[in-house]
Amino acid sequence: YGEAAREPGSFAACCLVARRLAERGVRTIQIFHRGWDAHGNLPREHESQCKDIDQGCAALITDLKRRGMLEDTLVVWGGEFGRTPTLENNNGRGHHPFGFTMVLAGGGVKGGHAHGTTDDFGWWAIENEVHIHDLHATILHLMGIDHERLTFQHGGRDFRLTDVYGNVVREIIA
């Protein structure tokens, strides 16, 4: 986990704590990294942010696999949106919702599988697009929950965690 794991509250320390919680049977663990939303000074910002998260993430997944826990532990890694591939203003990038990356590991997901592509600029998903409702349906499925059975009515309309949409992306399941 690196030297940063000795620093309470660091991302690496949180990854180590997450592994310890998983070992003790905690079923859902969420780790945040604050400050990733860089709009300027990207070379410095991204170098710093990657230094903060890369070693901890790699160590967590390696540790889970080494301990035989990765097959039963779903790791979901992602952000809230995509980023434009071109510079805006001086050296920043904007947000965009049309094509971005999520990483799923362990927990029944095919290892080493890349699903979907974007156009040459990384702007639009162009192949095997996965809607957010599909992603949520797939995560729930991998957690043993049938998202369609969670439907309830309110105000004359059906609701569920995936709204009333979502298909499990079976191509990524081992």
Side-chain angles (χ1 to χ4, degrees):
Y1 296 84
E3 285 297 314
R6 297 177 189 272
E7 186 180 321
S10 69
F11 188 80
C14 290
C15 287
L16 182 56
V17 169
R19 195 224 51 225
R20 291 175 177 164
L21 289 169
E23 285 176 325
R24 286 159 179 78
V26 175
R27 295 186 52 140
T28 305
I29 304 158
Q30 187 170 20
I31 305 170
F32 287 97
H33 182 269
R34 301 197 185 280
W36 185 257
D37 194 13
H39 286 275
N41 207 358
L42 294 183
R44 183 179 55 88
E45 284 293 320
H46 284 179
E47 180 180 339
S48 171
Q49 302 304 332
C50 289
K51 182 181 176 191
D52 284 351
I53 67 165
D54 285 358
Q55 191 169 5
C57 287
L60 175 60
I61 292 171
T62 299
D63 239 0
L64 291 171
K65 185 172 185 176
R66 197 177 289 148
R67 294 165 189 266
M69 297 172 62
L70 188 59
E71 62 194 39
D72 297 323
T73 304
L74 178 63
V75 177
V76 180
W77 184 17
E80 62 207 306
F81 43 72
R83 284 293 194 168
T84 56
T86 55
L87 294 178
E88 67 176 24
N89 300 327
N90 292 332
N91 65 351
R93 299 185 308 164
H95 302 166
H96 73 88
F98 310 118
F100 57 96
T101 302
M102 297 288 296
V103 176
L104 279 68
V109 174
K110 283 183 190 173
H113 176 78
H115 185 83
T117 58
T118 59
D119 63 13
D120 290 341
F121 291 103
W123 184 258
W124 292 99
I126 59 171
E127 184 181 350
N128 294 326
E129 181 178 344
V130 176
H131 191 277
I132 192 68
H133 297 309
D134 300 334
L135 175 64
H136 289 165
T138 304
I139 291 170
L140 289 167
H141 173 81
L142 290 165
M143 294 174 68
I145 300 170
D146 180 352
H147 72 104
E148 293 181 353
R149 295 193 65 206
L150 297 173
T151 304
F152 65 95
Q153 263 205 345
H154 177 73
R157 181 180 182 274
D158 285 342
F159 287 91
R160 62 179 179 235
L161 293 176
T162 55
D163 200 354
V164 289
Y165 309 101
N167 296 300
V168 174
V169 183
R170 303 227 176 255
E171 295 84 0
I172 71 165
I173 297 174

